[in-house]
């Protein structure tokens, strides 16, 4: 059985416009309520990967957290056009600390 | 260390012994699982980290181009240019089992519609070359971005599982097994004690009977 999932990107319009040209579904959002609603909606709607800009993700940490334990969808943080906030890196380091106990990287 | 709240009977002793054996075997298995998970995790997290560094750097470059593009082009035309993508991306996700952790195995299907060769979904008349650069950069980053998604999700799930396993291993090692051992020792002592006391009683009774006879 092959399930086909779609790929989405969520963030401010200027950052995600380019992704649209590559066939990734872009969902421009402005504030955190909208971001939360969009993420929850598309997570139910057959999207396998949701890229979200760190700026938006930092506004809705609980929503992001919720999808951590589920296999699908994968919510992945990307930097926005204002540069990176290092949240994505932080998440990697947190994972290491959680698993190993100390940061070995 | 606390001994369990059980009656010191022979039957309890047998059950406890059996539980101890199971706990020890479970502990060994979980420990093995933890070690193997950890090995795979470390392998993966290194890849994850370098991949993310790459992606973040390259995305930054692409965004810069994009910013330039949006500076020289009007927003309407920019939006119009990317409105109808030529490429469609879908992903086929299967679940892969790594030491009982279900991690996604993603298989990406990128389809170009229309003529092959050009990745740009627009004509060149109204758009600037900065937009071309931005999109071609983004196009090159995409495979990395997609594999980042796969690996990062996997490491995340594995980190959770490792934490859970470690808790279990520790609970068994520092709580369950010592408790069981202590209780078993306690029951055995209690049983020995009552055996001794019954032997003394028997000897005493024998003595009394002997004297009366």
């Amino acid at each position: 059985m092959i399930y086909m999932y779609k790929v989405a990107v969520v963030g401010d319009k200027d950052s995600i416009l380019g992704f649209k040209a590559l066939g990734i579904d872009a969902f421009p959002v402005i504030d955190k309520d909208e971001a939360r609603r969009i993420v929850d909606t598309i997570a139910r709607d057959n999207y396998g990967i949701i890229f979200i800009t760190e700026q938006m993700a930092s506004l809705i940490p609980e929503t992001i957290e919720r999808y951590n334990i589920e296999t699908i969808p994968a919510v992945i943080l990307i930097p926005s056009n204002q540069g990176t906030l290092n949240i994505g890196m932080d998440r990697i380091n947190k994972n290491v600390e959680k698993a190993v106990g100390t940061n070995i990287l | 260390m606390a001994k369990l709240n059980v009656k010191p009977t022979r039957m309890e002793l047998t059950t406890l012994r059996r539980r101890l054996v199971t706990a020890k075997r479970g502990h060994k298995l979980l420990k093995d699982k933890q070690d193997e998970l950890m090995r795979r995790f470390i392998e993966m997290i290194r890849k994850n980290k370098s991949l993310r560094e790459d992606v973040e750097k390259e995305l930054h470059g692409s965004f810069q181009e994009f910013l330039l593009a949006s500076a020289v082009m009007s927003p309407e035309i920019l939006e119009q240019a990317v409105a109808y993508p030529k490429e469609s991306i879908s992903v086929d996700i299967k679940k892969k089992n790594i030491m009982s952790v279900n991690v996604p195995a993603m298989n990406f299907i990128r389809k170009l519609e229309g003529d092959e060769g050009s990745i740009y979904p627009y004509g060149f008349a109204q758009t600037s070359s900065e937009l071309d650069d931005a999109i071609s950069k983004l196009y090159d980053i995409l495979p990395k971005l997609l594999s980042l998604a796969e690996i990062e999700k996997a490491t995340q799930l594995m980190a959770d599982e490792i934490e859970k396993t470690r808790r279990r291993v520790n609970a068994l090692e520092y709580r369950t097994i010592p408790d069981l051992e202590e209780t078993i020792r306690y029951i055995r002592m209690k049983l020995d004690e009552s055996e001794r006391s019954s032997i003394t009683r028997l000897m005493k009774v024998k003595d009394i009977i002997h004297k009366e006879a």
Side-chain angles (χ1 to χ4, degrees):
Chain A
M1 187 85 173
I2 295 179
Y3 297 102
M4 291 309 257
Y5 292 93
K6 291 177 278 182
V7 183
V9 57
V10 178
D12 62 291
K13 196 169 147 199
D14 290 331
S15 302
I16 64 172
L17 210 56
F19 289 97
K20 200 169 176 190
L22 300 176
I24 297 179
D25 296 346
F27 295 90
V29 291
I30 306 161
D31 57 11
K32 72 177 191 185
D33 290 330
E34 202 179 353
R36 187 176 298 139
R37 208 181 53 240
I38 289 276
V39 170
D40 283 336
T41 319
I42 60 180
R44 278 197 301 272
D45 190 25
N46 214 19
Y47 281 92
I49 304 176
I50 300 170
F51 293 110
I52 181 165
T53 59
E54 288 180 346
Q55 264 79 1
M56 276 304 151
S58 65
L59 300 177
I60 51 166
E62 326 83 51
T63 313
I64 308 292
E65 206 69 37
R66 193 138 33 88
Y67 296 103
N68 274 357
I69 46 165
E70 288 173 35
T71 318
I72 294 163
V75 178
I76 306 297
L77 305 191
I78 54 171
S80 77
N81 62 357
Q82 283 134 35
T84 168
L85 296 175
N86 265 329
I87 305 177
M89 264 312 171
D90 271 1
R91 272 158 70 90
I92 294 185
N93 289 332
K94 271 210 195 94
N95 275 342
V96 174
E97 268 170 41
K98 200 189 317 183
V100 186
T102 50
N103 196 344
I104 50 162
L105 290 180
Chain B
M1 247 31 67
K3 77 177 168 54
L4 305 171
N5 186 19
V6 288
K7 290 209 171 66
T9 61
R10 208 162 283 278
M11 202 160 91
E12 276 306 337
L13 185 65
T14 335
T15 3
L16 286 182
R17 273 198 181 133
R18 214 172 289 143
R19 268 181 64 191
L20 181 64
V21 171
T22 320
K24 275 193 173 153
R25 205 174 70 209
H27 174 257
K28 188 180 170 302
L29 283 172
L30 279 174
K31 187 98 186 162
D32 286 353
K33 176 184 169 181
Q34 188 194 7
D35 288 350
E36 172 66 10
L37 262 178
M38 194 67 98
R39 191 181 65 80
R40 299 249 193 134
F41 177 78
I42 286 168
E43 231 166 62
M44 245 176 182
I45 200 87
R46 287 192 200 284
K47 221 186 321 171
N48 185 348
K49 192 172 183 216
S50 64
L51 205 56
R52 177 165 272 281
E53 274 164 0
D54 279 6
V55 163
E56 283 189 358
K57 207 167 65 214
E58 284 172 35
L59 264 182
H60 188 65
S62 168
F63 281 141
Q64 271 176 343
E65 300 276 354
F66 226 84
L67 213 60
L68 280 178
S70 60
V72 293
M73 284 166 64
S74 74
E76 291 83 15
I77 292 182
L78 185 65
E79 207 166 316
Q80 195 188 338
V82 298
Y84 288 100
K86 258 172 77 176
E87 199 185 1
S88 72
I89 293 182
S90 49
V91 49
D92 163 28
I93 303 182
K94 290 202 183 67
K95 284 181 182 160
K96 200 168 64 177
N97 195 333
I98 298 183
M99 305 300 291
S100 86
V101 191
N102 277 327
V103 303
M106 298 177 179
N107 190 13
F108 297 97
I109 296 149
R110 302 174 75 173
K111 256 195 299 245
L112 271 177
E113 283 158 29
D115 56 333
E116 306 282 320
S118 165
I119 57 170
Y120 308 110
Y122 46 81
F124 294 119
Q126 285 174 312
T127 54
S128 72
S129 70
E130 284 86 1
L131 183 63
D132 297 353
D133 287 345
I135 288 188
S136 102
K137 266 192 188 160
L138 208 55
Y139 186 84
D140 293 337
I141 302 170
L142 204 59
K144 271 192 187 168
L145 200 58
L146 295 177
S147 63
L148 175 71
E150 183 179 9
I151 289 187
E152 195 155 308
K153 190 73 203 178
T155 50
Q156 208 171 68
L157 292 167
M158 279 166 85
D160 280 341
E161 184 69 20
I162 289 177
E163 197 192 20
K164 251 192 274 174
T165 317
R166 194 179 48 223
R167 275 162 187 263
R168 281 188 198 142
V169 170
N170 284 347
L172 279 174
E173 188 171 339
Y174 296 111
R175 189 90 235 177
T176 315
I177 293 179
D179 278 5
L180 282 173
E181 276 171 347
E182 195 180 324
T183 317
I184 287 172
R185 203 160 41 237
Y186 159 76
I187 294 182
R188 211 165 39 219
M189 268 163 28
K190 205 80 171 171
L191 286 177
D192 286 355
E193 182 63 29
S194 69
E195 198 176 334
R196 274 195 295 278
S197 80
S198 72
I199 284 179
T200 354
R201 202 162 38 235
L202 275 179
M203 287 162 72
K204 206 86 180 164
V205 170
K206 245 184 168 176
D207 250 16
I208 295 172
I209 295 173
H210 199 72
K211 264 182 202 158
E212 280 182 3

